Amino acid sequence: MSIAILISVHDGIVLASDSASTISIAGANGPQGVIGVYNNANKIFNLYKGLPIGCVAFGAGSIGNASIATLIKDFRRSLATADKSVFNPDSYSMSKVAVLLSEFLAAECARVAQQQPRPTLGVMLGGYSTGESLGEGWSLYVIDGVAQAPTELRRKDEVGISWGGEAEAIGRLALGISPNLLGLANQVLPELQRQSFSQMIGMIAPMMQAPLVLAPMPIQDAIDLAKFLVHVAIEFSRFTPGAQTVGGPIEITAITKHEGFKWIMRKHYYDVQWNREAHIEQH
């Protein structure tokens, strides 16, 4: 389980996540039971060293036996060594990067298609196409082992917050209602009342949303907001009965046109002072 955030403002893109990785097993009646939580998973990645392109992953932590962190780094290496007819670092679009990543994950899913369970996960990409002054956000999903086509989160001139993973806390805070409200209503309301209830929520919901992001918001304030939202999700999971499936260190990166991909908060499993070369390479 996890929480992943992408905030887009005119100053740039902010990616943020927790570090929890949940180990689950299928229960006797179908539901999954949590048997352990690790709090040191890596979910945010620079997709090409020196370019303003990054992503944050959520959902399943692996495809087959390979962790998402390892696979994203494999994809990063494939971009760095690709022929320019496939990926040209001097002239590229974020939509092209999203398609290439989707195809890469589809190939990985096909390689382990016979293994169970089939993964369900999401990736949000943020960055700048060559020559563009505004950043872009893209999302792609793997659902039950099948990679879906990438979709643009919003137009480049629009700003906003996107999130994935355990959305209950942020949904209640930002949208004013639980993301599970309609599903619960369908369980308890008679069939004739469901449509009218859905229409009512459709009219009320836009008025309940909190306007947390405005276009002129400085990148530092977007960073602070992302940190706050991840913290809210972590504390919500902490105080909700059951395993704390959102937690661990918060990681944040900011991507801007001129400064590129910059880590704001980041954990390391090694001591930087003894591993200067590895530290430089990962940046």
Side-chain angles (χ1 to χ4, degrees), residues 37-236:
V37 179
Y38 297 115
N39 280 322
N40 292 285
N42 295 312
K43 303 177 185 180
I44 299 178
F45 310 93
N46 184 198
L47 292 181
Y48 197 105
K49 187 176 179 181
L51 292 182
I53 310 171
C55 74
V56 58
F58 56 93
S62 64
I63 295 177
N65 295 324
S67 72
I68 296 302
T70 295
L71 291 174
I72 296 295
K73 291 175 183 178
D74 288 343
F75 173 72
R76 178 170 62 194
R77 178 173 294 178
S78 74
L79 284 187
T81 58
D83 185 273
K84 286 193 174 182
S85 63
V86 177
F87 179 78
N88 184 350
D90 299 317
S91 178
Y92 65 90
S93 66
M94 286 299 298
S95 61
K96 176 66 171 179
V97 176
V99 168
L100 290 173
L101 179 55
S102 178
E103 292 173 349
F104 176 86
L105 294 177
E108 289 297 320
C109 289
R111 184 176 58 82
V112 297
Q114 303 306 314
Q115 296 184 24
Q116 295 290 340
R118 295 188 177 92
T120 293
L121 60 100
V123 180
M124 292 188 292
L125 295 86
Y128 287 75
S129 301
T130 301
E132 292 291 335
S133 59
L134 293 175
E136 301 173 41
W138 288 78
S139 69
L140 58 94
Y141 287 87
V142 173
I143 300 176
D144 196 23
V146 179
Q148 312 297 304
T151 59
E152 193 170 15
L153 291 171
R154 59 185 63 86
R155 298 197 319 264
K156 289 193 288 288
D157 60 339
E158 293 181 335
V159 301
I161 309 170
S162 301
W163 58 86
E166 295 193 47
E168 185 70 22
I170 297 177
R172 291 187 182 198
L173 178 67
L175 303 179
I177 59 174
S178 167
N180 298 315
L181 180 60
L182 289 179
L184 293 172
N186 288 337
Q187 294 178 25
V188 300
L189 291 178
E191 185 174 353
L192 292 178
Q193 295 181 12
R194 293 174 189 171
Q195 185 174 0
S196 59
F197 181 81
S198 177
Q199 292 173 343
M200 180 185 68
I201 293 299
M203 291 185 292
I204 294 176
M207 296 182 285
M208 298 179 67
Q209 294 182 19
L212 298 176
V213 176
L214 298 176
M217 175 181 279
I219 196 69
Q220 180 62 64
D221 292 283
I223 290 166
D224 294 343
L225 175 59
K227 181 180 179 181
F228 166 68
L229 292 175
V230 175
H231 179 73
V232 166
I234 288 174
E235 293 304 305
F236 187 87

Side-chain angles (χ1 to χ4, degrees), residues 264-282:
I264 309 302
M265 299 178 66
R266 191 186 189 190
K267 62 184 180 295
H268 293 286
Y269 68 87
Y270 56 84
D271 191 320
V272 172
Q273 68 172 323
W274 306 120
N275 296 272
R276 295 292 182 185
E277 292 183 1
H279 182 65
I280 292 171
E281 174 64 24
Q282 287 206 12

